[in-house]
Amino acid sequence: MSDQPTSNIILPHRRLKLDTLVRLRWLAVGGQTAALLVVHVGLGYPMPAGQGFALVALSAWLNIFLKVRWPSAMRLSERAATLQLAYDILQMSGLLFLTGGLGNPFAFLLMAPVMVSATGLSARYTFILGILATVCASLLAVFHLPLPWAVGDDFSLPVVYSVGIWIALVSTLGFMAIYAFRVAEEARQMADALAATELVLAREQHLNALDGLATAAAHELGTPLATIYLAAKELADEFEDGDPRAEDLALIHSQAERCRSILRQLTSLSSEADRTYQRMPVTQLMEDVIDPHRGTGVAIHSDWSGSGSEPVGTRNAAIRYGLGNLVENAIDFARSRVDVTASWDPTTLSISIRDDGPGFSVDILGKIGDPYVSVRSGKSPQRDTGGGLGLGIFIAKTLLERTGAKLSLENLAPPQTGAHIRVSWPRQVFEQDAGVDETSFSAHNGTRTEKNPTPPDSSSRTQVET
C-alpha cells in the first residue's frame, strides 16, 4: 500500500508551452529595439545599427513563423525548447558582439535563457545551455566591436576589469541556474506527489461509493426478483406430490428467497439510518487497517486502552488508507514485530505504530514527509519489497493531515531499534459528524449489535497475529 498504488503513475515530462517562449522573445525584441534606438538615435553614438536591427528582426520573424506554423498551446519537447533557447543565447551574443562585448551593461541578459531552462527543463539541457552561454561569454570577452560611445572618445575597459566581469557573469550564471532549477524541481515534485495523492484518495473514495451502487442494483433487481419469487410460489401449488419438477421449482423458490435476503443486506449498507456502516469505532478501524497485512511473516500486535467511552468516527477513506500506508511501511522494514496501539482520553485520540526494524535514516529524519524521500536506512533482511516512488509517507501524511491529524515520526530510543510513528487527533475532530450521543454499532465480526455498550475500561486488550 505504501508505494504500489502509485508506482505505475507516469509523471508528466517537463514541457514548455510554445506561447511562453514566443511571449518572452517578443519581450526581448521590444527591449532590444528600444535599447538600439536610445543608443543610436537618442544619444547619437555610432554603431552598426543596421546589423543590430537585422538580428532583432530575425527574432521577430522567427516568432511570426512559429505562431503561424504551430498552435500557441502546443507544448514543446525538451529538445525543441532547448534549440529555441540556444538561438536566443546566440542572438543576444551577436548583439553584444556588435555593441562592446562584456563591456555592454546588458551582457548579463545572456543568463535569461538559461534561467528559463532551469525552471522548465531538465538538468541535462540546462547544463548544455549553461555551457553554451559560458562559451559565448568567453568569446565576447576577447572578440567584440567597440562599445558605442561619444564621437571622438575611445572607451575601453582594462583587461583585469574585463576578466572580473567574465568571472562574475559565469559565477552568477552557475549559481542562479542551480538555484532556479532546485526551486522549480521541488515545485514539480510537490505537484506530481499531490497528483498521486489525489489519485489514491479518489480510488479509495470510489471503493466507498460502491455501497451506493450496490443499493441501486438492489433496487433495480428487486422487482424482477419478486416476480420470479411469486411465480415460483404459485407454480408450486399446481404440481402434484411426487412430481419430479417440484424439486426444481422448490430450488428456484429457495434461491429466489436467498437473493431477496442478499439484496436486503445490500440495501442496508448505504442507509443513512444504518449506523453499522456509517460509523466506525476506533478498534474496528484498527482491525480494518491491520487485517489486510496478516500472514506476512511479521507478528502484528494491536492493543487499545483509554479513559471514557471509545471514540467513534465516520468511515473515512483518507484515514483508513493513510494508516494502512504507515502500517505497511512498518511491516516492510520490521524484523519480526510491529505494534499498533491506540489510546484515548476525553480530548485526544492517538494511534502509534512501532516496528523493530532499522528505523529512519538519521540524515533525512528532518525531511520525512516531503515527496520522493526514501525514509529508511535499509530494507528488512527478510523481505525485498522493491523500489517505489518514495511517496508512501508523503501520501499518508497528506491524507491524514487533511482529516485534522498531526503526525510525529522518530526513532525509538536506544537500546531499542525501530521507528515510531504517532498519529493524533483532537477527539472532537475525529468524532465530528459521527453522532456519538446515539451509540449503536455492531461488533467487528458482524454477529451482534449493542445498544449503549459499556465503555471499555482502562485495561488494554491485545490481539496477536503471526
Side-chain angles (χ1 to χ4, degrees):
M1 187 180 294
S2 55
D3 287 330
Q4 294 162 357
T6 57
S7 59
N8 294 327
I9 296 175
I10 301 176
L11 300 179
H13 295 292
R14 301 178 181 88
R15 288 193 170 187
L16 291 172
K17 288 178 62 176
L18 175 62
D19 189 59
T20 300
L21 294 183
V22 169
R23 288 176 181 271
L24 291 175
R25 193 172 294 113
W26 278 126
L27 182 63
V29 167
Q32 292 166 2
T33 302
L36 290 175
L37 289 175
V38 169
V39 173
H40 184 63
V41 178
L43 299 178
Y45 291 170
M47 59 172 293
Q51 300 175 33
F53 281 114
L55 287 174
V56 175
L58 181 61
S59 291
W61 279 111
L62 175 62
N63 270 358
I64 295 173
F65 171 76
L66 293 174
K67 291 285 286 186
V68 173
R69 180 64 177 81
W70 289 284
S72 299
M74 187 185 76
R75 291 194 175 272
L76 301 170
S77 66
E78 287 198 312
R79 181 179 180 182
T82 301
L83 289 176
Q84 289 201 39
L85 292 173
Y87 163 80
D88 293 330
I89 293 175
L90 294 175
Q91 190 260 2
M92 175 58 68
S93 299
L95 286 175
L96 292 175
F97 170 79
L98 297 173
T99 56
L102 295 188
N104 191 311
F106 295 101
F108 282 88
L109 288 176
L110 274 176
M111 296 189 300
V114 183
M115 296 302 101
V116 174
S117 173
T119 58
L121 302 180
S122 64
R124 172 190 174 189
Y125 289 102
T126 301
F127 179 77
I128 293 174
L129 291 173
I131 292 297
L132 177 61
T134 301
V135 171
C136 291
S138 301
L139 293 175
L140 289 172
V142 180
F143 305 103
H144 59 83
L145 296 181
L147 181 70
W149 207 251
V151 178
D153 294 335
D154 185 15
F155 182 86
S156 61
L157 293 174
V159 176
V160 175
Y161 190 78
S162 298
V163 172
I165 292 178
W166 180 88
I167 294 175
L169 179 62
V170 174
S171 300
T172 304
L173 177 66
F175 173 78
M176 293 298 293
I178 294 174
Y179 176 80
F181 178 80
R182 288 306 310 160
V183 172
E185 185 68 12
E186 290 178 4
R188 283 190 290 262
Q189 289 182 351
M190 183 64 69
D192 291 340
L194 285 174
T197 302
E198 294 293 344
L199 178 61
V200 169
L201 183 57
R203 190 175 301 171
E204 290 295 309
Q205 290 173 339
H206 174 72
L207 293 177
N208 277 355
L210 288 179
D211 68 294
L213 297 177
T215 302
H219 177 73
E220 295 296 328
L221 293 174
T223 299
L225 185 60
T227 303
I228 296 173
Y229 179 82
L230 181 60
K233 185 177 180 180
E234 291 178 351
L235 286 175
D237 298 334
E238 298 182 6
F239 293 116
E240 299 178 357
D241 295 340
D243 192 320
R245 293 174 296 178
E247 290 187 21
D248 295 335
L249 196 58
L251 179 61
I252 295 175
H253 183 274
S254 64
Q255 292 303 308
E257 176 61 32
R258 182 184 176 191
C259 288
R260 292 179 67 185
S261 176
I262 293 174
L263 291 181
R264 281 194 297 268
Q265 294 177 8
L266 291 177
T267 303
S268 67
L269 283 179
S270 63
S271 172
E272 291 297 330
D274 187 3
R275 311 309 294 177
T276 300
Y277 183 81
Q278 297 296 328
R279 299 172 58 206
M280 174 182 286
V282 67
T283 52
Q284 182 180 344
L285 170 64
M286 291 176 61
E287 284 302 305
D288 282 1
V289 169
I290 294 172
D291 189 64
H293 306 292
R294 299 191 188 278
T296 58
V298 174
I300 304 176
H301 297 248
S302 64
D303 69 278
W304 48 87
S305 62
S307 59
S309 61
E310 180 180 352
V312 180
T314 54
R315 291 178 179 267
N316 190 317
I319 293 178
R320 188 168 65 253
Y321 184 85
L323 291 176
N325 220 334
L326 297 177
V327 169
E328 181 168 351
N329 185 75
I331 292 173
D332 285 344
F333 294 93
R335 294 186 175 91
S336 60
R337 173 176 177 140
V338 171
D339 293 303
V340 183
T341 61
S343 61
W344 59 84
D345 57 37
T347 61
T348 306
L349 166 66
S350 298
I351 295 179
S352 295
I353 302 170
R354 298 181 179 87
D355 63 71
D356 59 353
F360 297 115
S361 179
V362 177
D363 57 337
I364 54 89
L365 192 57
K367 302 178 183 178
I368 296 175
D370 292 342
Y372 304 101
V373 173
S374 181
V375 298
R376 297 291 186 138
S377 57
K379 286 284 184 184
S380 169
Q382 289 86 2
R383 292 172 304 285
D384 182 11
T385 58
L389 293 178
L391 295 177
I393 296 293
F394 171 79
I395 291 176
K397 183 174 183 292
T398 301
L399 293 179
L400 291 172
E401 287 181 346
R402 287 184 177 183
T403 68
K406 291 184 178 180
L407 271 71
S408 62
L409 303 94
E410 60 185 2
N411 290 324
L412 296 176
Q416 295 177 301
T417 61
H420 175 207
I421 302 176
R422 184 173 182 267
V423 185
S424 61
W425 290 268
R427 182 158 175 164
Q428 182 180 4
V429 172
F430 182 82
E431 292 182 331
Q432 66 181 357
D433 300 327
V436 293
D437 294 333
E438 301 175 4
T439 306
S440 173
F441 58 88
S442 298
H444 180 62
N445 58 16
T447 58
R448 60 190 177 91
T449 302
E450 301 177 358
K451 297 288 185 178
N452 299 324
T454 304
D457 56 24
S458 59
S459 60
S460 63
R461 297 166 287 176
T462 304
Q463 297 176 341
V464 181
E465 174 70 22
T466 303

